[in-house]
Amino acid sequence: MSRRRKLRLGLAAYGTGWDLDAWRLPEATNSGLRDPRVILDIARTAERGTLDYVFAGSALGSEPDRLNRVHRWDNFVYAAHAAAVTENLGFVMSVNSSFEHPYGVARQLATLDNFNRGRTALNVVFGIDRDGDPVGNFGKNPVPTEETKYARAREFTEVVNRLLHESWDGDFLLDDRAGATLIRPGSWHEIDHHGEHFDVRGPLNVPPPVQSHIPIVQVGLSEESLRYGADFAQLRFSPYFGVSRGKEEYRRLKERVAANGRDPEKFKIIPGITFYLGGTVREARAKFNEINALQLTQDLPAAFSRGLGVDLSRVRDSERVLDVVDIDTLPDDALRPLLGDLGRDAEDDRELLRRILGTQIGEDATLRELYHHVQRSRHAQQPAVVGDARAIADWLEENLEEEVLDGVQLFPPYHRGPADLFVDLVVPELRRRGIFRTAYEASTLQGLLDTDDTY
């Protein structure tokens, strides 16, 4: 029997889910903005489904007018709390190297990795130009420029790794009561780092982590960011480019890692998806369209008129797309002004529109539903995967087998419900196909990520 590639799955934990409008559904729970039990349940659900990790995105800027950023729990506190009610699930900690200091972060990582017995990973981000003015929250704390932030991130990562893994020998606890010696002499080491951005003596004043190496996660599209990932990371949060272009990007990223003398099979490429799941495809599309209908789209008819070359100003948005638009006569790049490169594959935009109608919103979709879909895609910057358990498993299996990705990070559109549905409906289907685990293979996150990639 042939062996199948192994799918990696992570789950994002946000107070109201990822979708900007789904919080308005009658069944949505929005108390996650103030009640930590809501996203604590995300961790329990993820472990019930034997997922690899949860990711609770952190933020330093203040954005009270943005629903998906108004409140962000401190992810170290969240992970420590959630680790107490789980046993095998990993936790990815997001830290901004442009603002944080490596000594404090190393203390947090080592503490958390000891408390959760080896289930911690570090996602290093270096953005300093995001909305919400994070610089304004840090007073006179020196912040690097766009040109120097990558060099700082590299030095930050090197110092964190040295503090974590060079400060203490594993057998530091002598506990010689008769000899009055608690700590083994010579078991600690100063790292004595003096760099462009940091001076750190060491050693760390926290015991070394359980894992022999804290996995590092990379995100970003710039050349410097990709070079950082090839040098340091074990996992990459990647955009989704479609199958054809995705295969090319996947191959290039793996080749970068191999060129650095590292094992490309231990470098996981993980795009994010927002999933809209139902008991049937019809139910899933109905829920997706119900959520889309909550949007405001006044400016889109004019934008679509320009992109599609059809005057839609006098066309009711309840008209069926295929009754108004002749796909065969559209320009090759009809949707580019609307979608940019999001989800773009090697096919022209005629095929892209057919795919949107055929697999996401339905061939009978109205102009209003198409407007909503495009507006949502532009916000999310990741594909919306819509369907029943079989359809979503098909999408995951195809992209895994075509070597577009090694797994996905799942973004539930709202709470509660979608994450539970995924675990209850999709996970059994993935197991039936032999591409997802039935039980955890290792007790640490490092061990999970390093296990054989086939079943």
Side-chain angles (χ1 to χ4, degrees):
M1 183 177 178
S2 62
R3 291 170 65 82
R4 306 294 309 278
R5 293 189 68 221
K6 176 188 299 182
L7 186 71
R8 311 289 178 159
L9 293 175
L11 188 61
Y14 291 91
T16 58
W18 185 247
D19 191 290
L20 280 185
D21 300 290
W23 65 271
R24 297 173 60 190
L25 291 171
E27 66 267 33
T29 300
N30 299 316
S31 57
L33 291 181
R34 61 183 301 169
D35 186 349
R37 290 174 297 181
V38 174
I39 60 170
L40 191 65
D41 283 340
I42 286 285
R44 290 192 180 98
T45 301
E47 177 147 286
R48 184 164 61 83
T50 64
L51 274 59
D52 292 82
Y53 66 84
V54 291
F55 172 77
S58 191
L60 300 178
S62 302
E63 300 177 78
D65 55 348
R66 292 185 62 181
L67 292 180
N68 67 333
R69 288 182 176 271
V70 57
H71 288 158
R72 291 284 185 90
W73 299 103
D74 182 281
N75 56 6
F76 276 93
V77 176
Y78 165 73
H81 189 35
V85 297
T86 56
E87 294 182 0
N88 298 101
L89 183 69
F91 296 90
V92 177
M93 300 294 98
S94 183
V95 170
N96 193 316
S97 62
S98 293
F99 296 87
E100 306 284 3
H101 192 281
Y103 190 83
V105 170
R107 276 177 44 81
Q108 290 176 296
L109 288 169
T111 300
L112 181 60
D113 204 61
N114 275 281
F115 277 48
N116 67 24
R117 305 307 300 157
R119 296 186 278 145
T120 308
L122 171 63
N123 172 36
V124 178
V125 298
F126 2 98
I128 57 176
D129 53 353
R130 299 199 174 190
D131 295 339
D133 186 24
V135 177
N137 289 332
F138 282 76
K140 296 180 180 179
N141 186 50
V143 176
T145 65
E146 284 295 316
E147 291 71 31
T148 62
K149 67 181 183 181
Y150 297 108
R152 176 176 166 127
R154 285 178 165 274
E155 186 179 339
F156 175 93
T157 305
E158 290 168 355
V159 174
V160 166
N161 279 334
R162 291 191 63 195
L163 285 168
L164 289 173
H165 306 298
E166 297 179 20
S167 289
W168 290 93
D169 296 337
D171 60 351
F172 71 89
L173 183 60
L174 182 61
D175 198 13
D176 179 4
R177 305 182 189 201
T181 306
L182 181 64
I183 302 298
R184 186 179 302 279
S187 63
W188 57 269
H189 314 280
E190 295 180 355
I191 69 167
D192 197 26
H193 173 87
H194 302 284
E196 180 181 358
H197 299 278
F198 305 106
D199 287 314
V200 181
R201 182 195 63 196
L204 195 65
N205 64 347
V206 176
V210 171
Q211 299 178 101
S212 62
H213 181 77
I214 298 287
I216 291 178
V217 181
Q218 178 259 335
V219 63
L221 290 171
S222 70
E223 179 62 28
E224 286 291 338
S225 176
L226 295 174
R227 188 176 295 121
Y228 171 95
D231 288 341
F232 293 105
Q234 287 73 54
L235 191 149
R236 166 171 165 74
F237 290 160
S238 173
Y240 179 75
F241 298 102
V243 175
S244 295
R245 182 182 167 192
K247 291 172 67 172
E248 296 173 4
E249 295 293 335
Y250 182 95
R251 176 181 54 80
R252 279 197 286 266
L253 287 168
K254 296 281 187 171
E255 287 174 352
R256 276 179 177 265
V257 172
N260 283 8
R262 299 175 54 209
D263 184 354
E265 294 304 314
K266 293 186 177 181
F267 179 80
K268 314 302 181 189
I269 297 172
I270 312 287
I273 66 169
T274 307
F275 61 96
Y276 300 83
L277 174 63
T280 66
V281 172
R282 182 182 294 274
E283 288 178 4
R285 287 178 177 169
K287 181 59 64 177
F288 183 54
N289 288 331
E290 179 185 357
I291 294 170
N292 282 338
L294 299 171
Q295 299 179 83
L296 302 177
T297 58
Q298 297 95 323
D299 299 330
L300 286 185
F304 268 85
S305 294
R306 293 190 295 270
L308 302 180
V310 178
D311 184 6
L312 300 173
S313 62
R314 299 181 182 276
V315 179
R316 291 177 300 176
D317 63 7
S318 59
E319 292 290 329
R320 184 171 172 263
V321 174
L322 293 179
D323 290 338
V324 177
V325 178
D326 183 353
I327 294 180
D328 291 330
T329 65
L330 293 179
D332 290 353
D333 58 352
L335 298 181
R336 187 171 294 275
L338 303 164
L339 283 172
D341 289 330
L342 180 66
R344 190 169 301 281
D345 212 334
E347 79 258 13
D348 60 40
D349 283 8
R350 292 183 291 270
E351 291 305 313
L352 181 57
L353 181 54
R354 288 192 180 97
R355 189 173 66 189
I356 290 171
L357 294 173
T359 64
Q360 294 180 328
I361 59 177
E363 293 182 351
D364 291 328
T366 64
L367 286 168
R368 183 190 307 116
E369 290 167 341
L370 180 61
Y371 298 157
H372 290 152
H373 172 76
V374 168
Q375 181 161 288
R376 182 165 312 287
S377 298
R378 291 169 67 183
H379 153 68
Q381 291 297 299
Q382 61 191 28
V385 182
V386 184
D388 61 5
R390 181 174 179 180
I392 291 179
D394 284 345
W395 189 94
L396 292 168
E397 183 176 26
E398 177 189 9
N399 282 275
L400 179 69
E401 294 301 319
E402 291 290 336
E403 296 191 343
V404 175
L405 48 77
D406 296 305
V408 296
Q409 181 159 292
L410 301 161
F411 286 79
Y414 62 93
H415 295 319
R416 294 209 40 210
D420 295 277
L421 277 178
F422 189 94
V423 166
D424 293 336
L425 300 179
V426 181
V427 166
E429 178 66 17
L430 297 173
R431 288 171 173 168
R432 186 186 66 78
R433 300 180 187 207
I435 59 174
F436 192 62
R437 66 171 64 91
T438 57
Y440 285 106
E441 309 95 336
S443 60
T444 68
L445 183 54
Q446 179 188 10
L448 287 179
L449 296 177
D450 284 347
T451 51
D452 183 17
D453 271 350
T454 60
Y455 289 108

